[in-house]
Amino acid sequence: MTTRSPVIVALDFPTAAQALELARQLSPQDCRLKIGKELFTQAGPALVEAVQDLGFDVFLDLKFHDIPNTVAAAVAAAARMGVWMVNVHASGGRKMMMAAKEALLPFEKPPLLIGVTILTSLSDDELFEIGYMAGAGTMVEHLAALANNCGLDGVVCSAQEAEVIRQSQGHAFKLITPGIRLPENEKDDQTRVLTPESAIAAGSDYLVIGRPITRSPNPKAALSQILARLSFIA
Ligand code: C5P
């Protein structure tokens, strides 16, 4: 099922049972689903398949970062699972990103290959500590340009960074942004948040939204409210 909905719901649950319980309350016409490290390590490809069997496109958020040969093989394994989107760390470098891209060439319907630039959890001080002297803003722009140059389909970025990357990397380059909240939501551990409509206005293509939907007493209604703000009609 392909949907025009820009919402990707983050299935941040410790078990397959909890993830599937949430998935069953949503419709593949309204969103896609993201499976990250915790859930995939716990529940593996069987859960990806179960979610796909419910009709959902899956973003496999494992942020691969290794030598080119290893990342290429991992990305191909993700493609064989039939996922819709997969990601790698752009700081893995040109050879790694190009090997990942090349590994997807044999697939008729390859997943979108997305780069992670700088983790939003890292402060400038922490970046300096690991030797990234340029600071987050500059590094994000630099790595987004490199990812685009290596043939990746887009990057994960904060909505605040979206506008600049959209301008420098053009319209075809996909921007995937977490840190989305409605004014009435808790910010949780996110520091810089944007509403769904301001993230889209800033140039985001896809919004990764977790707790405002998954922790809601009525996840379907919470998603509908977000889609209504975006004037999305399935
Ligand atoms: O619950 P919440 O909406 O904050 O979930 C956001 C999702 O996006 C989580 O799965 C989180 O790991 C992910 N994410 C993020 N910030 C990033 C990259 C990914 O919050 N910079």
Side-chain angles (χ1 to χ4, degrees):
M1 151 81 60
T2 23
T3 169
R4 287 182 306 105
S5 168
V7 176
I8 303 172
V9 177
L11 284 184
D12 293 324
F13 292 105
T15 67
Q18 285 165 283
L20 284 170
E21 190 190 329
L22 192 279
R24 287 197 188 96
Q25 295 176 56
L26 304 176
S27 160
Q29 286 178 338
D30 293 339
C31 65
R32 295 178 171 88
L33 299 177
K34 178 171 92 71
I35 295 177
K37 284 190 169 95
E38 179 189 15
L39 189 55
F40 189 76
T41 303
Q42 169 66 32
L47 176 72
V48 173
E49 204 179 321
V51 161
Q52 288 170 333
D53 285 348
L54 293 174
F56 290 96
D57 284 342
V58 171
F59 170 16
L60 190 63
D61 179 21
L62 298 182
K63 301 185 179 70
F64 296 129
H65 193 175
D66 211 312
I67 59 171
N69 188 52
T70 302
V71 168
V75 160
R80 282 193 294 277
M81 275 191 271
V83 303
W84 162 76
M85 179 180 278
V86 65
N87 57 2
V88 302
H89 272 278
S91 55
R94 175 181 293 281
K95 282 192 199 137
M96 190 206 83
M97 285 191 275
M98 292 185 76
K101 185 73 191 170
E102 205 179 310
L104 294 177
L105 292 178
F107 293 89
E108 199 180 318
K109 266 188 73 185
L112 290 169
L113 182 62
I114 300 299
V116 175
T117 55
I118 296 290
L119 296 171
T120 46
S121 54
L122 289 171
S123 65
D124 278 354
D125 282 347
E126 282 179 289
L127 288 172
F128 297 155
E129 196 177 24
I130 59 172
Y132 284 22
M133 308 317 269
T138 308
M139 284 306 299
V140 167
E141 280 180 56
H142 181 78
L143 288 168
L146 179 63
N148 197 4
N149 189 261
C150 292
L152 265 61
D153 298 299
V155 286
V156 181
C157 64
S158 77
Q160 280 86 353
E161 294 152 0
E163 211 158 340
V164 172
I165 300 177
R166 173 63 66 226
Q167 270 175 24
S168 58
Q169 304 309 315
H171 279 278
F173 199 59
K174 305 261 183 281
L175 303 182
I176 293 95
T177 57
I180 305 294
R181 292 291 183 273
L182 299 184
E184 62 269 30
N185 289 152
E186 294 290 328
K187 282 167 91 182
D188 305 304
D189 52 356
Q190 300 282 11
T191 47
R192 292 174 301 150
V193 299
L194 243 62
T195 61
E197 57 275 25
S198 40
I200 294 286
S204 299
D205 295 284
Y206 298 106
L207 311 176
V208 174
I209 309 178
R211 287 159 290 186
I213 295 171
T214 58
R215 301 266 176 95
S216 162
N218 187 341
K220 190 176 174 60
L223 175 57
S224 296
Q225 191 193 350
I226 289 165
L227 293 175
R229 290 175 79 108
L230 298 172
S231 309
F232 172 80
I233 301 156

